[in-house]
Amino acid sequence: VTIRLDTDPFEVLHREHPEWRAWLRLLEATRSELDDPCWAEAVPEMPPGTGHAPLIDGAPFEMSGRILDRRLRGLLTIAAEAGASPSLAVAARRPILDAPAVFEAAIAADRSRLDALAGSVGAEGVAFAPVAAVAVVPLLQACARRWSPRVGEDWDHGYCPVCGAWPALAEARGLERERRLRCARCGDDWRTEWLRCPFCGNRDHLALGALVSEATAETRRAETCAACRRYVKTITTLIPTAPRDVAIQDLATVDLDVGALAQGYRGGDGLGHPVSVHVSGRSRWPRLPWAR
Ligand SMILES: [Zn+2]
Ligand SMILES: [Zn+2]
């Protein structure tokens, strides 16, 4: 599918990929939340991460527990209604669902903790984890908006300088064909060199290749590394993809994933550098002294 992002990308994807219904509904629901100021208010002014660690590493987030709870339950319900596991609808009604813990585990991409949290509310882990991953996107994008200016031009890693995820894709951008890596979680955008694998840093051009399909060879390809057997999708763009559209571009280029996976390459799932955060769901109103 070729998608012009000035048309409604969801309309096209819904039509072309009816099997993505639940996933697309989640992304749509998240998109309408991105501009809610509650996320930006939770982001500390100064990011804690230093050195090789992403900026988010060690960050404390304090938000209304009620908002976190409502957002997570809302997304679980949407996913269940769109045909993901019915166990998600059950989980959405369980009082013991611990939304701040789910946010922490999803930001850290800690699958075993997510599975345990899912299990505690009777949800299937394989259906629960993607909902949790989408739930943290508005908070992560608020982090990138606040902290991205602090990322030095000397950031030299393949993983996202803000949230630690591997890039979802690369852009060959502008007339200069600058190479920029893009994060589908926080939307961040960072420069990297051509002819260098973002995953293992390999610069041996004999080990670097590209998979192209004849129809779209000029505008998109999967760049492969024989050293680590991973690939990154590369699209040609004149202007940066908007942060909120990176996840859509990732879906719209799934033909490249299919091709690369069929050749035995792995994508960049998960994080390239571990991160740990603390999310506390304070109550909405300060506790009054006599209401202890
Ligand atoms: Zn990121
Ligand atoms: Zn590599």
Side-chain angles (χ1 to χ4, degrees), residues 9 42 71 86-87 99 103 116 138-139 214 223:
R71 305 279 164 138
S87 69
F103 270 66
L139 183 57
E214 265 172 41
E223 293 183 338

Side-chain angles (χ1 to χ4, degrees), residues 119-145:
S120 73
V121 289
E124 275 181 83
V126 67
F128 187 87
V131 179
V134 169
V136 298
V137 161
L139 183 57
L140 292 176
Q141 296 211 358
C143 290
R145 282 197 295 272

Side-chain angles (χ1 to χ4, degrees), residues 50-74:
T50 52
H52 300 295
L55 294 175
I56 202 170
D57 188 36
F61 295 103
E62 197 177 291
M63 281 193 76
S64 150
R66 203 187 298 178
I67 290 180
L68 292 179
D69 196 67
R70 205 172 50 219
R71 305 279 164 138
L72 180 60
R73 289 177 198 275

Side-chain angles (χ1 to χ4, degrees), residues 197 200 225 228:
C197 170
C200 72
C225 172
C228 68

Side-chain angles (χ1 to χ4, degrees), residues 160 162-165 183 185-188 190:
C160 174
V162 171
C163 80
C183 176
R185 303 211 302 169
C186 72
D188 204 44
W190 64 105

Side-chain angles (χ1 to χ4, degrees), residues 197-202 208 224-230:
C197 170
F199 302 105
C200 72
N202 174 32
L208 299 169
T224 58
C225 172
C228 68
R229 302 293 297 169
R230 290 186 186 244

